[in-house]
């Protein structure tokens, strides 16, 4: 496959942009080779600068649940643009967006718009600390909540792939207030709560992990966390940046029937434009400026252009609940095809899937937390990744990521992917 323009652009880009990319995972560091530079997305396909076509299973890391550039989002954005992009003043669309979010996610009584998932999770922790007047937080090793300092302690996703559980630049003082538990291990949480009685403001987790690759919680684990947080007065934060509007209209909390105290969103909520949001109980959210003392702000928060894209995406979700059955059907077919391939090839690599989030781990042991995920052979993943890329299938360039399917994937796309999967593993 000719990727000469991508190679040239990468060389050029590295002179001006650290690593030639604006987000580390895009640099292909953990799979090797030259990243392909994309020129256009349409439906289930991406087209690179050399004109090569790919079936896309990243979907911009989650936002494109309807595929690239769906007409109803494009039209909404172009229409909004007629009136301007951003005013730095309140607009009707922001009120409508907040009402729509609260109608889709019952646990959200009030919500604040921001510009990324990182801003959402960072702000949710700050308001939880302000509300409880406590300083410590619990997060889980392998979970990634964006790049705010207090999360980059055994972060998953990029930092995990680079094998640096702690990121340079995070101060010891910051790290002291972040307690690390093990996913699917309630005892590790009970232990931390015992050691830090009355000092923990919040517990934050990915209700389904995407950033170790897909890792699914047990029911006991989730119910146990809810009980502990209720008993200890700890703010229970669901980081649904990935799972929100992805697993169901009401996200993972609808799937598991768990009510968190706060929820963070990103990705799908912006319809492909930069939008994040955090919300939850009124009594917590009312602590936020200008109502309360906890400060949080943003020049472009809730800007009309991004709201138009997000509102179009969430309205489509509200009006078409059947998309989740369609996504289930497509992803189930993909998984079944993969399992048949593995059977034929005599390989027992682990596939974890929930809804349209799926990962295949190059380990034959079950994957249910960071330690078990790390048993995966990342060199084998890299070989598989390139085998798929050479066959026109665009997967996450790292073992510790979720694939995302879209409603735009055709039966032919899925069958081609299953065939490529067999060949790339042979
Ligand atoms: P952003 O700041 O990247 O919008 O969101 C941070 C974030 C927060 N919480 C969860 C559960 C997330 O998955 C993310 C971001 N996800 C990564 C994918 N592993 C984004 C891709 C990237 O970093 O380039």
């Amino acid at each position: 496959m000719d990727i000469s323009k991508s190679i040239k652009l990468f060389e050029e880009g590295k002179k001006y942009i650290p690593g030639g990319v604006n987000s580390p995972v895009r640099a292909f560091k953990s799979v090797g080779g030259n990243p392909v530079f994309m020129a256009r997305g349409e439906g289930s396909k991406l087209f690179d600068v050399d004109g090569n076509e790919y079936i896309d299973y990243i979907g911009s890391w989650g936002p494109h649940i309807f595929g690239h550039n769906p007409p109803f989002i494009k039209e909404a954005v172009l229409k909004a643009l007629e009136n301007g992009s951003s005013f730095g003043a309140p607009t009707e669309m922001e009120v409508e967006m907040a009402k729509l979010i609260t109608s889709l996610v019952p646990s959200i009584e009030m919500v604040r718009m921001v510009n990324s998932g990182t801003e959402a999770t960072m702000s949710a922790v700050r308001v939880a600390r302000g509300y409880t007047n406590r300083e410590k937080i619990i997060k889980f090793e392998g979970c990634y909540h964006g790049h705010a300092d207090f999360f980059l302690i055994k972060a998953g996703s990029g930092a995990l792939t680079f094998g640096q559980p702690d990121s340079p630049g995070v101060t010891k003082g910051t790290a002291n207030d972040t307690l690390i538990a093990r996913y699917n291990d309630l005892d590790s949480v009970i232990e931390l709560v015992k050691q830090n009685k009355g000092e923990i403001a919040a517990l934050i987790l990915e209700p389904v992990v995407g950033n170790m690759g897909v890792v699914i919680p047990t029911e006991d684990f989730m119910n146990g966390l809810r009980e502990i947080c209720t008993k200890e007065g700890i703010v229970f934060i669901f980081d649904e940046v990935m799972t929100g509007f992805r697993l169901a209209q009401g996200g993972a909390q609808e799937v598991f029937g768990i009510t968190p105290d706060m929820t963070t969103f990103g990705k799908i909520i912006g319809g492909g434009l930069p939008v994040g949001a955090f919300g939850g109980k009124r009594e917590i959210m009312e602590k936020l400026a200008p109502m309360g003392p906890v400060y949080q702000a943003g020049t472009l928060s809730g800007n009309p252009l991004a709201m138009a894209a997000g509102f179009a995406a969430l309205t489509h979700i509200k009006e078409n609940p059947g998309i989740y059955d369609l996504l289930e059907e497509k992803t189930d077919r993909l998984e079944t095809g993969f399992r048949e391939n593995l059977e034929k090839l005599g390989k027992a690599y682990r596939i974890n899937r929930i809804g349209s989030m799926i990962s295949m781990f190059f380990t034959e042991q079950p994957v249910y937390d960071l330690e078990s995920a790390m048993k995966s052979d990342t060199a084998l993943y890299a070989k598989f990744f390139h085998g798929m890329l050479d066959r026109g299938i665009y997967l996450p360039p790292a073992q510790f990521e979720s694939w995302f399917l879209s409603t735009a994937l055709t039966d032919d796309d899925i069958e081609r992917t299953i065939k490529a999967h067999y060949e790339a593993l042979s």
Side-chain angles (χ1 to χ4, degrees), residues 20-77:
V21 292
N22 284 311
S23 199
V25 71
R26 303 177 191 171
F28 279 23
K29 252 179 125 59
S30 67
V31 292
N34 194 94
V36 282
F37 280 57
M38 294 303 175
R40 185 168 67 87
E42 199 64 44
S44 63
K45 303 294 183 308
L46 272 173
F47 302 86
D48 72 17
V49 290
D50 292 288
N52 301 304
E53 176 186 301
Y54 303 90
I55 300 172
D56 180 21
Y57 286 94
I58 299 185
S60 184
W61 299 95
H64 297 320
I65 193 167
F66 308 115
H68 290 275
N69 224 3
F72 59 89
I73 292 182
K74 191 160 98 178
E75 277 143 33
V77 171

Side-chain angles (χ1 to χ4, degrees), residues 150-181:
F150 43 74
F151 292 135
L152 291 182
I153 319 281
K154 285 207 191 300
S157 185
L160 179 70
T161 309
F162 295 141
Q164 298 161 0
D166 290 333
S167 166
V170 175
T171 64
K172 287 192 183 57
T174 303
N176 285 345
D177 288 335
T178 300
L179 308 171
I180 302 291

Side-chain angles (χ1 to χ4, degrees), residues 23 25-26 61 116-118 121 144-146 157 206 211 239 241-242 267 401:
S23 199
V25 71
R26 303 177 191 171
W61 299 95
S116 70
T118 293
T121 54
Y144 176 70
H145 302 291
S157 185
E206 293 181 58
N211 291 293
D239 177 358
V241 166
M242 244 187 210
K267 300 181 192 283
E401 295 290 353

